[in-house]
Amino acid sequence: MKDTARVLGRVYDAIEYRGFGQKIAEDLATHAGVPVYNGLTNEAHPTQILADFMTMREFTHKHLSDMSLCFLGDGQDNVCLSLAVGAAKVGLDMRIAAPRSFWPDPAFLTRFKEMALETGGRLTVTDDINAAVKGADFLYTDVWLSMGEDESAWEARIKAFLPYRVTQAVMDATGNPYTKFMHCLPAFHNAETAVGADIQKRFGIDCMEVTEEVFESAASIVFDEAENRMHSIKAILVATMAG
């Protein structure tokens, strides 16, 4: 990677890495000599979170520090952890609703507390869905199996995360009629994909992390979120490359 980084740095003004290992992205950044952006690794998805926060600002009059966001499902997911890092930096009220075996590790929780000292960011991790979503402005979820993971894990993941699926009942449990639904996409919200059809055949469910009803509802802002990845990435380019 050191050699590749030095070649790419002579050809391009900036590089985005979207792949697997976080160390690869860091090695690229160390040796390329040009700005390097983390477009996705197994451990983090920071550029996604900038688009998420931009979207959240669009759909509520509140400042980020006054908003509450609940992530449901895998509390060790790269998007979930990056949302928590962002929450610590801007003072957001972040909740994670996940099975105990999928909670962030203690080292991460300590890191969050340290980052949040100046901003007042809050993080609640619980397996109590109703408590986690109460009053939330935004409910967020992600796929239950990330790219590159062994498909043999589907059965265990489905069993663990099915209670944390975002349904209309979960949306209603917020008690907030203005709660919006978010997802970084792609989402398994029906059985109309090859994976969705296979999961339905094997496990008898017609969706995974979110129901079709919620995904296609007026509360869903997933496509605004997707669009804002373009706008937020342009802002990053301006901030890091403009003269």
Side-chain angles (χ1 to χ4, degrees):
M1 182 49 65
K2 290 193 296 183
D3 297 353
T4 300
R6 286 176 285 189
V7 172
L8 294 177
R10 290 169 179 261
V11 177
Y12 298 102
D13 296 309
I15 302 165
E16 176 174 321
Y17 176 78
R18 184 178 176 90
F20 297 105
Q22 179 71 22
K23 186 178 185 305
I24 297 173
E26 292 173 0
D27 287 346
L28 194 59
T30 298
H31 299 285
V34 297
V36 172
Y37 316 109
N38 182 342
L40 174 71
T41 64
N42 291 337
E43 294 85 358
H45 202 349
T47 52
Q48 174 66 49
I49 275 55
L50 293 176
D52 294 337
F53 285 177
M54 177 182 176
T55 309
M56 290 164 67
R57 286 297 307 271
E58 284 186 322
F59 282 90
T60 178
H61 66 281
K62 299 179 180 180
H63 294 292
L64 286 168
S65 58
D66 296 322
M67 296 180 195
S68 54
L69 166 71
C70 180
F71 185 95
L72 297 97
D74 184 355
Q76 299 169 358
D77 175 82
N78 53 5
V79 173
C80 175
L81 296 180
S82 292
L83 281 168
V85 170
K89 290 180 178 292
V90 301
L92 191 78
D93 175 10
M94 172 86 182
R95 300 95 173 267
I96 298 173
R100 287 180 177 269
S101 57
F102 287 92
W103 285 7
D105 65 46
F108 179 86
L109 298 178
T110 298
R111 180 185 170 207
F112 178 95
K113 291 178 181 178
E114 292 171 351
M115 289 188 293
L117 284 175
E118 294 184 9
T119 66
R122 289 88 70 203
L123 178 61
T124 301
V125 184
T126 179
D127 56 5
D128 186 332
I129 298 168
N130 288 331
V133 304
K134 186 177 181 180
D137 296 301
F138 300 92
L139 300 188
Y140 200 124
T141 192
D142 195 6
V143 293
W144 292 343
L145 198 70
S146 297
M147 64 177 190
E149 290 191 274
D150 193 329
E151 292 187 6
S152 64
W154 270 124
E155 184 173 2
R157 294 294 180 90
I158 289 171
K159 182 178 180 180
F161 297 140
L162 198 58
Y164 297 86
R165 177 166 55 184
V166 181
T167 64
Q168 189 57 50
V170 171
M171 294 289 290
D172 293 341
T174 65
N176 179 358
Y178 303 106
T179 300
K180 301 300 183 185
F181 170 73
M182 303 179 72
H183 193 302
C184 58
L185 302 182
F188 293 114
H189 53 95
N190 57 36
E192 294 176 13
T193 63
V195 172
D198 179 58
I199 293 298
Q200 182 181 47
K201 182 179 179 180
R202 291 167 59 192
F203 302 104
I205 57 175
D206 61 3
C207 63
M208 281 182 275
E209 68 273 11
V210 58
T211 62
E212 181 85 348
E213 180 184 16
V214 171
F215 187 87
E216 296 291 356
S217 72
S220 176
I221 56 174
V222 297
F223 296 110
D224 301 275
E225 194 179 352
E227 176 190 341
N228 284 339
R229 290 180 64 168
M230 174 179 67
H231 304 310
S232 55
I233 288 294
K234 288 195 298 184
I236 293 172
L237 293 176
V238 170
T240 55
M241 297 177 67

